[in-house]
Amino acid sequence: VQLQASGGGLVQPGGSLKLSCTVSRSMDTYAISWFRQAPGKEREGIACINNKDDSIDVADSVRDRFTISRDNAKNTVYLQMSSQKPEDTAVYYCAARVGKCSNWYWNYDLWGQGTLVTVSS
């Protein structure tokens, strides 16, 4: 199984960006998460969507600005980011695990390559 993250780029503060994570096969058995890692910081869980009921879990730090969704027909999970701040600058990774969402990156064994998001004027 391969994950392909895309959609990163340069965005101005207050702007919006939508990331995509495309999975090479059916996502039926996987929970899909987005993590981010800024320079010098630990990888941080941002949002996760479960496979069974599409329930989501979004980090407190971004809950009012980011949302996660999935399109099973396209094997794709999206991270919609709005009202972006300079502190959102990071490499964003998508990851998959069999079972339910987990906030901890060490519980995931399938990772995309990462896409860089830079929030700057």
Side-chain angles (χ1 to χ4, degrees):
V1 178
Q2 294 182 328
L3 285 71
Q4 178 78 33
S6 61
L10 176 64
V11 61
Q12 292 188 340
S16 298
L17 206 59
K18 187 174 185 178
L19 305 183
S20 299
C21 175
T22 301
V23 184
S24 62
R25 51 149 287 178
S26 172
M27 302 187 298
D28 287 352
T29 58
Y30 296 103
I32 308 291
S33 282
W34 285 97
F35 291 82
R36 68 183 181 186
Q37 189 164 20
K41 294 190 176 181
E42 191 172 7
R43 195 164 294 193
E44 172 190 18
I46 295 299
C48 184
I49 187 164
N50 281 296
N51 57 319
K52 297 292 186 183
D53 56 6
D54 283 354
S55 59
I56 65 174
D57 183 17
V58 182
D60 289 343
S61 59
V62 300
R63 184 165 296 158
D64 57 342
R65 301 186 294 117
F66 292 9
T67 189
I68 186 171
S69 61
R70 64 194 290 159
D71 184 337
N72 289 329
K74 296 182 178 180
N75 290 341
T76 300
V77 171
Y78 303 100
L79 182 68
Q80 178 68 55
M81 304 182 291
S82 59
S83 302
Q84 291 202 258
K85 304 175 180 180
E87 52 262 43
D88 294 328
T89 296
V91 177
Y92 284 70
Y93 300 90
C94 59
R97 69 186 302 266
V98 175
K100 293 188 176 181
C101 287
S102 171
N103 292 331
W104 311 112
Y105 64 87
W106 53 82
N107 285 333
Y108 291 78
D109 50 6
L110 298 170
W111 289 86
Q113 83 287 5
T115 185
L116 176 63
V117 173
T118 303
V119 184
S120 175
S121 55

